Every structure is written in structure tokens, then in C-alpha cells.
Amino acid sequence: MSAKTAPDHHARYYTNLDEDYRNFVGGKFVETASDKIAVTNPATGALLGLIPDSSAADVDAAVRAARSAQPGWEKTPAIQRAKHLQAIAAKLRERRTDLADLIVREQGKIRSLAQIEVDFTADYIDYMAEWSRRLEGEVLTSDRPNETILLLRKPIGVVAGILAWNFPFFLIARKMAPALITGNTIVIKPSEETPLNAFAFAELVAQTDLPAGVFNLVGGRGTVCGEALISHPDIDLITFTGSVKTGSHIMQVAGRNLTRVNLELGGKAPTIVLADADLDLAAKAIYDSRIINTGQVCNCTERVYVQHAVHDALVEKLKTLFEATRYGDPSTDSEVDMGPLINQAGLDKVKAAVELARKDGATIVCGGRIAELGQGYHYEPTIITGGRAEMNIMRQEIFGPVLPIQSVDSLDEAIALANDSEYGLTSAIFTQDLNAALKASRELQFGETYINRESFEAMQGFHAGRRHSGIGGADGKHGLYEFTETHVVYIQGR
Ligand code: NAD
């Protein structure tokens, strides 16, 4: 879209970029000949800023900058690379309040969660920096006399990081920190829905002495800028967070150049509640994990399987929590528990999913409507019971504040229903029976299982989906090594 109006300067937090935000390429903010994309507040529709709608030529310039910086960055000792990352984390902390405000306006997240996102992002960068003295290769046993075999871990080269909009600031770090500490350089493309926080990030990077070209940022649409990145022959790894549809497309395009992919995709996380569960704990954790970020979180409870005996009691507790949810515009009201959905398409999708569930014979316990606040993409917190395995609401990712519930006989039935899914990202179970918890962790076919707790991952874990939820993973040692490749050296002595 070409924006016709100038941005509201009161909404700008970073002011040294003149009129518009510009791509960050080779250590400089650069002009592009492209049109602009308007970025708006999903709670109000107010224009927040303009970003470049980068062309293939703009993307090529960023990839070239990253390529030319990569050999020097790889030669820089890891401990020095870590100091650069720590300097960026320190800059983020200096601006932590402004950055959180920007995320609230741009993404519609509530203030407290936006602050957690900024602080977690700085901590994540520091965590990845700490690996600098712990990156290890291996010495392998040879079949020959006097031979030493070394397995070296090396950077892959130039990484493209393509981001979703739901945790836009954290996702920058999830891509750039492991990429940089292992000696890669990177080109980041944020979502066109939430790019301003990434331009703010680049501005803070520019205030450090990170060598030019190590971190680059291009704004633009998926269909032009994103497409140019994923089809670029000089990209060595595409690390992507977003929808299954785009992830599948990326894999096909990457196949032409045999570019590596790391895909973090959608989910339909099941939560199992057994009759012996602490129901207050289960209800609160399910509520938190469905309402947080307005239900727009890849790993949070998207369907519940509860044993008959406690079905009504659990639904009652959840109803109390859902009905007490305050929602509205988080950019003007810091008391709200929930903001808007990201855009009209997101709202339409949630509305259609609930309407279909109603037609399929499910019961709407509370909510079930667009929230009429006069502006913004708000949907009422909604509980749906009477779910059945074949219903769309139990199978497709909703990505909104809607919780479908199905009553089950047994743990075996719940596990079978949970596993019968195109997705395989996260799962959860509430029970006080150790054997039931262990059985679930053996038999659930998911990248993560949360037992008696809310569904959020730790930075030292490994966030990885099975089936259509992705390929490869992020975080911790295993996520770090996704940004390396091995080189085996055979040294024959005498
Ligand atoms: P999306 O796939 O629409 O967009 C993601 C990114 O891909 C955007 O930057 C977009 O511009 C870009 N893109 C779109 N078309 C492209 C193309 N042809 N070539 C290259 N890039 C292209 O996803 P979204 O709506 O931003 O994100 C929501 C989805 O992300 C949900 O399904 C959610 O579950 C998933 N998600 C997954 C994780 C995880 O860790 N597994 C985390 C957050 C979000």
C-alpha cells in the first residue's frame, strides 16, 4: 500500500531518521526508491509511521552488505562478538520503557506484556552471548594410527530472518543473537504489520560499534521483499517464524537454491485436564495462556480435553475468569488484560471460526461476538463447549481469545485426540498423578509438554514443532547449533 498521509510525529519514538523509517544496510540507514507501507495502531487505526516497501534490489543490497561483512565477523573471536551483543542488550535496557510503549501501539499488546517482551529480549541476547566461551567442536576417534579427527563447528554464512508480528521484538533476538554469536551475519525482515520496533532496534544497534553489515534490516511486504530474500542465491539459511502456509512456500522456494531452512510455524496446542487435577491451577493457567496477547501465541492452549467428572467445574471456573477480562485499547488504558487482534483479517478469521463452531453444534458459553468498542479489532473472550474431534474449531489454529473444550473419558482418549493433529508444537497436562504425567510425556507427539504450569518456554529449552508446526527449532544449545555447520578435519600424523 502507498501511504498518502504523513505519519503522526507524536507517535514517533526514534527521531533521527528524518521523515520515514529507512532500511539499515551496511551500518547505515539508506534511502530506497520504493513506495512506503503505512503502519497503524490496531486498537485505533492511527497512523504510526511509514516504512520502505523494499524491492528485490533493496534486498540484494542488504544481502551483499551481509556477505561482505561475514568473513571478518567470523574471524572476530567469539568473546568479542559477545561483547557486541552485550552492548546491544545494554542499549535495549536504556530504552526499555519507550520500546515497550512502541510495541503496545504497534501490536496491540498490553503494557505489562510488552515490557516483559523487551526485558526478555535483552536477557535473551545476553544469554546467547554467554555461549561465546562454550561453543565446542569434537575430537573423534580415528580407525587409523596416528590420526586425529576434528569436528569443527562453523557459521553457515549469511542468514535471512523473517519474522511474524506476535512477539515482533523478541523474534529479532531469537534470530540475530544465535546467528551473530556463532559468526554469521544477518538480514532481518520484520512483519509489515509490526516493523517499527525492528527499526527502533536497528537504531540502537547503530549506536553501538557493531561492524557494518553484520546486522541489516529491510522493511517490506512478504510477497516482494520476503520473496526476494528467500529466493536470493547468496542466502545460506532462512530462519522463519510465521504461518504454515508461508513456511511451506518458503521451503519450496528455498529448494531451488538448496538453501537451508529453519521453520517455526503454527500450533494447535492441546491441554489435557484429568479428574484429579488442581482445577484452580488448571483454570488459571489455561486462562492466562489463552488470553495473553489476545490469544495470538503459537504455543498457548488452543483446545482443551477434560475428563467428564470435572468438565462442568472447570468450565465454571474458566467462565468466571473469561467474563472478568477487561479488554480495550492498551495504548490509552494500562488496566486492560487484553488488547485488539492484529488486523481485520485476524478478526474475520476468529469470527468465522466461532460461527462455524456454532453451526457445527458447539455451545458458546460466553463471548462469541465481535466486541463493539467503536474502533479496533476486538473480539470477546469466548469459551466453547461440546467440541468434537471432527470440528474445525478443534483442528485449525484460531489465533484469538477463543477456547474450545471437549469432554473425554480417559487419558488414553485425550492423548489420541491431542496427537491427531496436523500441528505438533506444544501440549500441556494437568494431573496430580505422576504416572499419568509420565505417560503423557512419553506418548504426546509434540515438541514441548508443560505439566501443571502455563505454556511458555524458557530460553535455555528448545522450541521446536513436529509435523506442520515446523522444521528445526530455537533456543538453548540445540537452537544455537542450528546456526552452525560442521567441518570435519582429518589430520594424519606419522
Ligand atoms: P505470515 O506467514 O503471514 O507472515 C510471517 C512473515 O512472513 C512476515 O514477515 C511476512 O511478511 C512474511 N512473508 C509472507 N509471505 C512471504 C513470502 N512469500 N516470502 C517470504 N516471506 C513472506 O505469519 P504471521 O501472520 O505473521 O504470523 C502468525 C503465525 O506465526 C501463526 O500461525 C503463529 O502460530 C506463527 N508463529 C509461530 C511461532 C513459533 O515459534 N512456532 C512463533 C510466533 C508465531
Side-chain angles (χ1 to χ4, degrees):
M1 154 168 71
S2 291
K4 304 235 174 344
T5 32
D8 166 8
H9 283 270
H10 297 294
R12 297 283 300 272
Y13 294 87
Y14 295 84
T15 50
N16 67 346
L17 303 180
D18 301 328
E19 191 61 28
D20 306 322
Y21 293 84
R22 298 184 198 164
N23 287 345
F24 185 62
V25 173
K28 294 194 182 74
F29 289 99
V30 296
E31 285 289 357
T32 46
S34 54
D35 275 352
K36 301 290 177 187
I37 299 175
V39 183
T40 56
N41 180 335
T44 64
L47 183 64
L48 298 177
L50 303 174
I51 63 149
D53 188 6
S54 300
S55 65
D58 300 328
V59 168
D60 185 56
V63 176
R64 276 190 281 117
R67 174 61 63 197
S68 86
Q70 198 278 328
W73 182 244
E74 179 174 350
K75 286 197 185 101
T76 305
I79 190 67
Q80 294 302 328
R81 298 199 293 260
K83 289 190 192 320
H84 286 290
L85 285 178
Q86 287 159 343
I88 294 168
K91 282 281 172 201
L92 303 191
R93 290 193 181 95
E94 280 172 21
R95 303 301 296 269
R96 61 186 287 280
T97 313
D98 298 345
L99 290 164
D101 285 343
L102 181 56
I103 294 168
V104 170
R105 282 173 183 266
E106 184 179 23
Q107 197 251 292
K109 193 169 263 155
I110 62 170
R111 184 73 184 55
S112 54
L113 183 60
Q115 195 63 71
I116 289 171
E117 182 173 353
V118 172
D119 295 345
F120 191 83
T121 301
D123 289 351
Y124 192 92
I125 293 172
D126 276 343
Y127 166 76
M128 282 297 169
E130 284 168 17
W131 278 98
S132 59
R133 288 198 173 99
R134 298 190 174 91
L135 297 168
E136 291 175 348
E138 293 170 30
V139 181
L140 308 176
T141 306
S142 170
D143 292 348
R144 298 181 175 190
N146 304 323
E147 184 180 62
T148 303
I149 306 177
L150 304 178
L151 185 148
L152 310 177
R153 278 193 190 275
K154 294 191 165 176
I156 298 175
V158 175
V159 176
I162 301 179
L163 315 182
W165 45 262
N166 62 339
F167 284 90
F169 200 67
F170 167 60
L171 288 175
I172 306 168
R174 202 180 230 175
K175 309 297 187 197
M176 67 79 80
L180 265 53
I181 197 63
T182 47
N184 303 279
T185 55
I186 197 161
V187 180
I188 290 279
K189 190 203 95 59
S191 167
E192 53 272 52
E193 300 289 346
T194 53
L196 300 187
N197 65 85
F199 285 85
F201 187 102
E203 187 164 337
L204 294 172
V205 169
Q207 292 170 18
T208 71
D209 58 2
L210 186 76
V214 170
F215 174 88
N216 307 274
L217 176 77
V218 288
R221 282 175 290 150
T223 47
V224 181
C225 172
E227 202 67 38
L229 257 183
I230 62 174
S231 56
H232 200 294
D234 214 17
I235 292 289
D236 300 301
L237 167 71
I238 301 163
T239 171
F240 168 78
T241 301
S243 63
V244 174
K245 184 169 168 245
T246 309
S248 166
H249 172 74
I250 287 175
M251 198 161 168
Q252 289 174 45
V253 174
R256 287 183 217 142
N257 293 319
L258 293 174
T259 307
R260 287 176 192 220
V261 293
N262 166 282
L263 304 174
E264 306 287 328
L265 310 179
K268 183 73 183 168
T271 292
I272 298 170
V273 182
L274 297 186
D276 69 349
D278 175 338
L279 284 192
D280 289 318
L281 175 74
K284 181 72 170 67
I286 292 169
Y287 169 75
D288 285 346
S289 112
R290 184 73 296 210
I291 293 303
I292 188 171
N293 211 24
T294 321
Q296 303 166 117
V297 185
C298 61
N299 56 357
C300 286
T301 310
E302 278 256 343
R303 50 189 169 128
V304 170
Y305 300 109
V306 54
Q307 266 188 315
H308 298 312
V310 291
H311 173 275
D312 292 354
L314 179 72
V315 171
E316 205 45 47
K317 285 179 193 298
L318 285 166
K319 185 166 179 271
T320 305
L321 292 167
F322 271 59
E323 286 183 339
T325 306
R326 295 159 299 182
Y327 50 85
D329 173 5
S331 59
T332 54
D333 184 353
S334 58
E335 297 297 308
V336 293
D337 304 311
M338 200 177 86
L341 291 156
I342 188 70
N343 54 25
Q344 187 65 49
L347 184 61
D348 291 345
K349 189 173 160 224
V350 171
K351 179 171 174 264
V354 174
E355 272 167 17
L356 185 55
R358 215 190 297 257
K359 275 200 202 119
D360 286 343
T363 303
I364 313 295
V365 174
C366 61
R369 284 184 308 242
I370 288 177
E372 298 300 346
L373 299 185
Q375 58 180 10
Y377 311 112
H378 299 273
Y379 199 84
E380 292 179 350
T382 299
I383 298 175
I384 296 176
T385 55
R388 292 191 311 277
E390 67 277 13
M391 287 181 182
N392 198 63
I393 199 83
M394 301 302 291
R395 307 198 76 84
Q396 290 305 313
E397 188 181 52
I398 304 165
F399 234 51
V402 174
L403 183 71
I405 300 175
Q406 180 167 347
S407 193
V408 294
D409 280 325
S410 62
L411 175 59
D412 280 325
E413 185 188 0
I415 290 175
L417 287 165
N419 287 340
D420 177 23
S421 173
E422 97 177 71
Y423 301 100
L425 191 56
T426 77
S427 52
I429 180 165
F430 290 84
T431 177
Q432 303 197 44
D433 178 349
L434 179 62
N435 284 317
L438 288 173
K439 178 181 164 71
S441 49
R442 280 193 306 273
E443 295 183 13
L444 283 169
Q445 294 157 4
F446 289 80
E448 285 157 42
T449 298
Y450 301 97
I451 300 177
N452 292 328
R453 54 156 286 183
E454 78 288 6
S455 306
F456 300 108
E457 69 269 31
M459 62 181 81
Q460 64 272 39
F462 186 53
H463 181 59
R466 295 205 198 171
R467 301 184 286 279
H468 289 183
S469 287
I471 291 180
D475 311 334
K477 178 171 76 176
H478 300 284
L480 187 72
Y481 284 148
E482 300 248 329
F483 290 81
T484 65
E485 61 185 355
T486 55
H487 179 179
V488 179
V489 180
Y490 299 85
I491 310 167
Q492 184 65 65
R494 282 187 289 167

